[in-house]
Amino acid sequence: MELTLYQPDIPQNTGTILRMAACLGVSVHIVEPCGFVLDDKRMRRAGMDYLQDVDLTRHNSWATYQDSRKGRQVLLSTKAEVSYVDFRFEPGDSLILGRESAGVPDDVHNAVDARLLIPMAGEARSLNIAVAAAMVLGEALRQTGGFEK
Ligand SMILES: C[S@@+](CC[C@H](N)C(=O)[O-])C[C@H]1O[C@@H](n2cnc3c(N)ncnc32)[C@H](O)[C@@H]1O
């Protein structure tokens, strides 16, 4: 199981996700460009000393990222129709999160193997990206035995 951040915008969110990934032993891929430099002090503050333990790979573009991946690409999207709790995860899945400001473009949305929604109440627009990542990663690890280390 791995996490992919598509062109992240907000350094504190990325730091929080990187800290979670270090704590749970999950690799992270960042598809650039980011909306900040990757040693941003706000990101380092959120990620704390956990950042040194993250297995992090940076990719120059979506195309180079896609060429490098073998497992299924599973997009978390507010436009998806399938709830993540109804999805059968596999250990090799990459969970892709869109950018905070705009999600992902149509070509990314159309290229992935699956698109998952976290159902929300009423007219809510979206969850914070780090919260969304934690919810779906937790379920994916639970299903695939990822907590049995
Ligand atoms: C702040 S949201 C992006 C909001 C953006 N305006 C949009 O509609 O995609 C950042 C990312 O968190 C994830 N996310 C947030 N809420 C979600 C939800 N309810 N279901 C699935 N993914 C969600 C998605 O990957 C999304 O691209």
Side-chain angles (χ1 to χ4, degrees):
M1 198 65 60
E2 58 188 26
L3 289 173
T4 297
L5 306 183
Y6 181 86
Q7 300 183 358
D9 283 319
I10 300 179
Q12 294 92 335
N13 287 337
T14 297
T16 299
I17 291 170
L18 292 176
R19 176 179 174 178
M20 172 176 67
C23 290
L24 300 182
V26 170
S27 302
V28 180
H29 296 263
I30 292 185
V31 178
E32 304 218 42
C34 293
F36 52 91
V37 290
L38 258 184
D39 68 345
D40 186 288
K41 73 177 180 197
R42 294 163 295 181
M43 185 186 88
R44 285 190 273 112
R45 193 175 301 131
M48 298 173 44
D49 53 328
Y50 294 100
L51 295 185
Q52 65 201 23
D53 300 324
V54 183
D55 178 11
L56 174 63
T57 307
R58 297 164 65 175
H59 303 266
N60 287 335
S61 68
W62 171 250
T64 56
Y65 165 77
Q66 265 203 310
D67 287 346
S68 73
R69 310 318 307 146
K70 294 194 182 72
R72 297 188 304 179
Q73 307 296 303
V74 179
L75 176 68
L76 278 59
S77 170
T78 55
K79 300 186 181 81
E81 293 175 357
V82 175
S83 169
Y84 78 105
V85 296
D86 294 328
F87 188 73
R88 184 67 56 92
F89 292 92
E90 296 176 0
D93 288 346
S94 298
L95 308 180
I96 303 171
L97 292 125
R99 61 193 308 190
E100 291 91 334
S101 57
V104 297
D106 288 346
D107 62 317
V108 173
H109 193 266
N110 294 334
V112 298
D113 299 296
R115 290 166 281 274
L116 303 181
L117 173 72
I118 304 168
M120 295 177 289
E123 301 300 310
R125 293 186 302 278
S126 68
L127 292 156
N128 173 276
I129 187 174
V131 172
M135 291 179 68
V136 179
L137 178 61
E139 173 64 9
L141 291 176
R142 186 192 69 79
Q143 286 188 19
T144 57
F147 290 114
E148 297 157 18
K149 288 176 178 163

